[in-house]
Amino acid sequence: MTLEELNESCKKCDKCRLRKGATQVVPGAGSEHAEIMFIGEGPGETEDKQGLPFVGAAGRFLNELLKSINLNREDVYIANMVKCRPPGNRDPQEDEIQACKGWLNQQIKVIQPKIFVPLGRFAMYKFLKGTSISKEHGKIYSRSGKVYFVMYHPAVALYNGAMRPILLEDIKKLRLFLDGKLDAQSLNDTVSKIISEKETLKKEQNKNQGNKDSSQFKMTI
Ligand code: URA
């Protein structure tokens, strides 16, 4: 399946309550061959109107962040945890994230990014559980050939100007990493422990299903 076909099916999704309040589904935007995937929370008002992710005020700051390290939107893929706007821009609820996660997982399968940049805690929880964004922002982790670089959500800088330099400083580490000047830490401690538990569970499930690949670790993304 191509990314376009996938996103066309996504646009027809009606799996959760969010679709009713939204103007349209906003699957994502960017290159099908992107090595970096940015993942936000969910569309806001402008995104809901335009059908594109991060095109409002938070998106303008995201563009600035990308530009500050010589990237532009066409170089990366930008997606969201939920593809429909939560009413009044409230946080997405767990059942909505669960209902929507198949779309993001399929986008990941098609695009196969090497680097994931979760923006904000909701996206961070997809990869790193049992930790906090204030602890993890600006850190680069690697695990099983994938890299995870956690950032605060760009919208935080709109409410609190003091966060702007923090995001601008954090994203410089992504540039250093891309230039081979910074190593990613192997995913460890609490985060690793929690993921290992998921790994073990997954392996058990695979074993029970007689899956020959069960010895190979696969992150449950
Ligand atoms: N905030 C998000 O998390 N995603 C968008 O697409 C826009 C704002």
Side-chain angles (χ1 to χ4, degrees):
M1 195 187 308
T2 66
L3 185 61
E4 201 185 329
E5 287 164 349
L6 173 62
N7 287 348
E8 282 309 310
S9 318
C10 177
K11 285 183 194 169
K12 297 185 194 121
C13 180
D14 199 9
K15 271 195 265 184
C16 82
R17 67 181 88 81
L18 290 183
R19 180 64 190 90
K20 287 188 187 64
T23 309
Q24 57 190 317
V25 181
V26 183
S31 165
E32 176 156 5
H33 308 290
E35 296 207 333
I36 311 176
M37 181 184 263
F38 285 76
I39 306 172
E41 203 173 292
E45 190 179 5
T46 319
E47 290 75 20
D48 176 70
K49 279 197 187 118
Q50 295 189 24
L52 291 167
F54 282 98
V55 284
R60 282 194 291 281
F61 186 43
L62 178 61
N63 293 346
E64 193 182 324
L65 289 164
L66 291 172
K67 202 164 158 224
S68 74
I69 59 160
N70 281 327
L71 288 177
N72 59 56
R73 292 172 70 107
E74 291 70 44
D75 299 324
V76 303
Y77 196 80
I78 303 175
N80 276 309
M81 293 299 288
V82 295
K83 313 296 192 194
C84 291
R85 181 191 182 202
N89 294 350
R90 65 156 168 77
D91 289 345
Q93 292 171 2
E94 186 54 30
D95 63 328
E96 294 158 354
I97 292 174
Q98 289 306 318
C100 206
K101 78 173 184 194
W103 295 116
L104 180 57
N105 288 344
Q106 288 188 76
Q107 288 174 323
I108 291 170
K109 263 195 197 134
V110 173
I111 299 167
Q112 300 205 8
K114 293 196 179 80
I115 304 174
F116 294 89
V117 187
L119 299 169
R121 63 196 165 103
F122 287 97
M124 183 190 75
Y125 293 153
K126 178 166 180 64
F127 305 105
L128 315 179
K129 295 216 186 336
T131 183
S132 70
I133 188 106
S134 56
K135 192 170 153 229
E136 303 301 339
H137 74 96
K139 290 191 185 161
I140 300 197
Y141 290 113
S142 73
R143 178 107 187 185
S144 303
K146 300 283 186 196
V147 170
Y148 304 90
F149 177 60
V150 179
M151 287 193 66
Y152 279 116
H153 194 288
V156 299
L158 307 178
Y159 307 112
N160 177 1
M163 297 300 288
R164 266 179 74 84
I166 297 176
L167 275 101
L168 283 159
E169 198 53 38
D170 279 354
I171 203 161
K172 283 187 193 160
K173 296 201 189 123
L174 180 59
R175 170 45 67 201
L176 288 176
F177 177 79
L178 295 172
D179 292 345
K181 292 179 184 155
L182 187 74
D183 287 334
Q185 313 169 33
S186 128
L187 199 51
N188 53 22
D189 305 326
T190 331
V191 169
S192 171
K193 184 172 168 286
I194 285 157
I195 290 174
S196 305
E197 283 162 9
K198 287 173 91 181
E199 236 181 281
T200 313
L201 191 72
K202 186 100 183 157
K203 277 189 194 161
E204 284 302 314
Q205 282 166 352
N206 284 344
K207 217 188 278 166
N208 293 343
Q209 287 163 8
N211 183 334
K212 298 228 163 44
D213 280 346
S214 63
S215 60
Q216 241 193 348
F217 166 64
K218 285 208 183 79
M219 194 164 226
T220 50
I221 50 177

